[in-house]
Amino acid sequence: VLKMVNDLVYADVALQGTSYLEAAENVVHVAASNPVTYVLIKGSATTVRVLGVAVIGGVGTLLSYHILCSTDLQLKLGTIFQDTTSVLKTSSILGTTFTAA
């Protein structure tokens, strides 16, 4: 049961400022007394988490791709990291972008 309600317990602690045990009791009470509300809240919390991870990952990937493809930034970084490309077997912007994601 605790694994099922753990995410919402932390949300309850953050929103209401209660202790972990009190928040767990609140969440179990809501889940038992009104399962439809529990399912809706759990679904919306999961949606927010998935969207947050997707947005953060997407922005990080786009930012790294932009930095790696920018000619001006490549020239600046090239002067900073001179002679480091000799260590690399290949230099692939797309591969580095996927690695950053």
Side-chain angles (χ1 to χ4, degrees), residues 39-75:
V39 169
L40 289 173
I41 292 172
K42 182 76 171 169
S44 64
T46 301
T47 302
V48 167
R49 184 175 62 237
V50 168
L51 285 175
V53 168
V55 167
I56 291 170
V59 168
T61 301
L62 289 174
L63 183 63
S64 64
Y65 181 76
H66 174 70
I67 289 171
L68 291 170
C69 288
S70 172
T71 308
D72 186 43
L73 287 173
Q74 282 184 4
L75 293 174

Side-chain angles (χ1 to χ4, degrees), residues 3 6 9 11 15 18 23-26 29 35 41 46 49 53 56-57 60 67 71 77 79 84-85 94 96:
K3 187 176 181 180
N6 196 33
V9 171
L15 293 174
T18 58
E25 186 177 309
N26 292 341
H29 176 71
I41 292 172
T46 301
R49 184 175 62 237
V53 168
I56 291 170
I67 289 171
T71 308
L77 290 174
T79 59
T84 58
T85 55
L94 191 57
T96 306

